[in-house]
Amino acid sequence: MKKRILSAAISALLLSFAAGSAQAENDVNAWRLFVADHDQPVVNVIDALDGDKLASFKLKAPASLSRTESGAVVFAIQGSANAVSAISSGIAFHDHGDHADIDIDDAKLLKVELDGKKPGHFVERQGKIAQWFDGESSTLLLTEQAVLAGKSDATKVSVVAAHHGVAVPYDGYAVVSVPDPADASRRPIGARVVDLKGNKVGEDVACPGLHGAAGSGNIYALSCATGLLLIGQNDGAPVIRHLPYAKSLPQGSTSSLTGGKGMQYFIGNYGPDRLVLIDPTEAESFRLISLPTRRVHVAVDPVRPKFAYVFTEDGKLHQIDVLKGQISRSVQLTEPYSMDGHWNDPRPRIAVADSKIFVTDPLKSKIHVLDAVAFKETGEIAVEGRPFNLVAVGGSGQVHAGGHDRDEHHHHHGHDRSHDHNHGHDDDHSHAH
């Protein structure tokens, strides 16, 4: 008798399983926060939807974090240990045009580690990665796919002399900063297109005081004392054009850029207590936004593209309406975090995941959680130590009944519809500006 009941239950289960897979696949929403400690060599992984700690990874030194567009890999840049570690986020998307499939695994520390003196800017575009080292005369170019497969396929490309600069990767090319020939310890003086053997392509483009880099849509921007360099590409080598600062702007320049997601724009600092919104397609490309006090950190909202956020030293988080070019709402979150003192003192950082905004509060060992729509604080997550840099990874996708062979999927990481679910790169990397 027991057997018959059991087999009936199994048949019912199989029937419901078949019916389920015949109907709409299961939509799953998954988001994770990767949080680096300010003083300790550790990265904590937290479920962004319920605040549970999922994992903790030991590194060689405190890290700044950058994620790839796809969100499949988070890189931990450990400046004081001359090392860059790679963490598989455990969340991967596979684009099928009308929908994306989502694979969810445990986050794990990958075998690939990049070594070089003073690792600095990390840039990734379309699965291509450029890791800069301030203390090396070459930059490393590699692919996300190889990192995920545990292989380091890195190519070294000469950048003439060690300097605090940046490389932007393209298919078969890179755009690299040009060091000051008189003194490489000064800011770079321009940008150059090179092939993967380091050969120069075309003429250098002047960019005095080059500092600050970000991508938005199909444009990558570098900021200079004279304006922005906008890098585009049709088929062949990247093409660079100069966008001078508007005459209407007061004296100044931007040295830290963040790129919009879902809408093409850039947001940069313009002095300590002003921001500049840059739309490269408009005749009036620059709009200035005054802040109540000095800025601590800026992030864009990848889910609600018309908003960006800025945290100021008075402990407030401000929502910026990018279309209107103004602060739309403000909320008091923390005690003041003065910008006086060392550039790398522990101060709040912002990340956006799903319908939430997360702001680290390193001196209080917690992360503030806000509802992005209501723009109100709804909770907090306790994190040991001094939670500092953070990135968010995730989105929604379909999980197919029966699942996929995970190995088969590792070849598709590049096809994430990343821009809907991107958390921009923190341009305040943990090295001196």
Side-chain angles (χ1 to χ4, degrees):
M1 186 65 186
K2 267 187 186 158
K3 266 189 187 159
R4 195 176 301 159
I5 292 169
L6 200 64
S7 64
I10 289 170
S11 318
L13 204 71
L14 287 172
L15 272 171
S16 69
F17 193 81
S21 57
Q23 291 157 9
E25 300 288 358
N26 299 330
D27 268 340
V28 173
N29 200 26
W31 289 86
R32 288 173 181 170
L33 297 176
F34 291 77
V35 187
D37 190 87
H38 185 271
D39 310 316
Q40 301 302 316
V42 66
V43 172
N44 289 306
V45 187
I46 295 167
D47 187 316
L49 302 180
D50 62 18
D52 288 351
K53 185 165 151 180
L54 301 174
S56 192
F57 300 115
K58 283 291 271 190
L59 304 173
K60 293 179 175 172
S64 76
L65 302 175
S66 286
R67 50 156 288 182
T68 56
E69 284 179 10
S70 76
V73 188
V74 174
F75 285 81
I77 296 122
Q78 300 149 71
S80 60
N82 297 323
V84 180
S85 304
I87 300 166
S88 165
S89 73
I91 298 178
F93 295 94
H94 314 293
D95 185 17
H96 297 293
D98 61 337
H99 74 278
D101 291 345
I102 186 170
D103 274 355
I104 302 166
D105 286 309
D106 291 342
K108 60 177 186 282
L109 196 56
L110 295 166
K111 289 193 184 77
V112 174
E113 189 176 277
L114 309 177
D115 303 305
K117 284 183 206 144
K118 297 197 205 157
H121 270 296
F122 167 96
V123 178
E124 184 265 353
R125 299 179 57 266
Q126 300 170 336
K128 307 280 189 298
I129 293 161
Q131 176 62 58
W132 188 269
F133 295 90
D134 288 358
E136 303 279 350
S137 58
S138 58
T139 188
L140 280 188
L141 301 176
L142 58 157
T143 66
E144 180 182 36
Q145 198 174 327
V147 172
L148 279 162
K151 300 188 198 69
S152 179
D153 64 343
T155 303
K156 277 190 175 182
V157 172
S158 167
V159 295
V160 182
H163 65 284
H164 179 52
V166 67
V168 187
Y170 287 84
D171 299 304
Y173 300 93
V175 175
V176 298
S177 51
V178 178
D180 184 329
D183 181 359
S185 71
R186 290 193 221 151
R187 282 191 177 178
I189 58 160
R192 166 179 298 167
V193 180
V194 293
D195 65 19
L196 299 191
K197 293 192 171 70
N199 299 314
K200 195 167 122 170
V201 178
E203 292 301 308
D204 292 352
V205 180
C207 180
L210 188 154
H211 196 287
S216 181
N218 62 350
I219 293 177
Y220 210 91
L222 306 174
S223 46
C224 329
T226 54
L228 263 59
L229 294 189
L230 303 176
I231 310 165
Q233 184 189 30
N234 288 331
D235 288 333
V239 178
I240 306 172
R241 74 180 175 94
H242 183 258
L243 176 69
Y245 293 121
K247 296 214 169 23
S248 58
L249 286 177
Q251 191 66 36
S253 66
T254 181
S255 60
S256 172
L257 284 176
T258 307
K261 307 291 170 207
M263 292 196 323
Q264 193 169 61
Y265 72 92
F266 298 91
I267 191 164
N269 60 332
Y270 204 85
D273 57 0
R274 289 192 287 209
L275 294 176
V276 64
L277 270 178
I278 305 145
D279 181 342
T281 61
E282 291 286 324
E284 301 288 318
S285 294
F286 298 89
R287 286 181 294 169
L288 214 52
I289 299 172
S290 290
L291 304 174
T293 54
R294 291 175 292 187
R295 97 190 187 295
V296 175
H297 189 229
V298 173
V300 302
D301 194 323
V303 184
R304 288 151 295 273
K306 69 176 250 191
F307 294 122
Y309 308 103
V310 57
F311 186 88
T312 48
E313 65 179 344
D314 53 6
K316 286 184 178 167
L317 183 72
H318 310 274
Q319 179 193 66
I320 294 167
D321 185 318
V322 176
L323 298 175
K324 292 183 176 149
Q326 62 194 40
I327 291 173
S328 39
R329 294 192 278 186
S330 301
V331 62
Q332 185 74 44
L333 269 194
T334 71
E335 300 282 311
Y337 273 89
S338 171
M339 287 304 286
D340 287 336
H342 195 271
W343 63 267
N344 196 29
D345 283 345
R347 298 184 184 96
R349 296 286 184 264
I350 310 160
V352 182
D354 197 38
S355 60
K356 298 175 182 179
I357 305 163
F358 298 88
V359 181
T360 56
D361 194 346
L363 298 182
K364 293 284 197 302
S365 303
K366 65 185 179 186
I367 300 173
H368 297 268
V369 185
L370 294 93
D371 179 303
V373 180
F375 203 66
K376 285 192 175 75
E377 186 168 3
T378 54
E380 54 186 47
I381 301 167
V383 182
E384 277 172 37
R386 292 185 168 184
F388 181 44
N389 278 299
L390 81 169
V391 296
V393 170
S396 51
Q398 293 183 357
V399 174
H400 290 283
H404 287 289
D405 173 17
R406 284 190 174 133
D407 293 337
E408 173 230 343
H409 263 338
H410 277 263
H411 302 298
H412 303 305
H413 278 285
H415 305 318
D416 172 25
R417 30 167 210 172
S418 60
H419 286 298
D420 311 340
H421 304 300
N422 219 357
H423 171 68
H425 298 300
D426 177 0
D427 200 48
D428 301 335
H429 278 318
S430 56
H431 52 252
H433 287 295

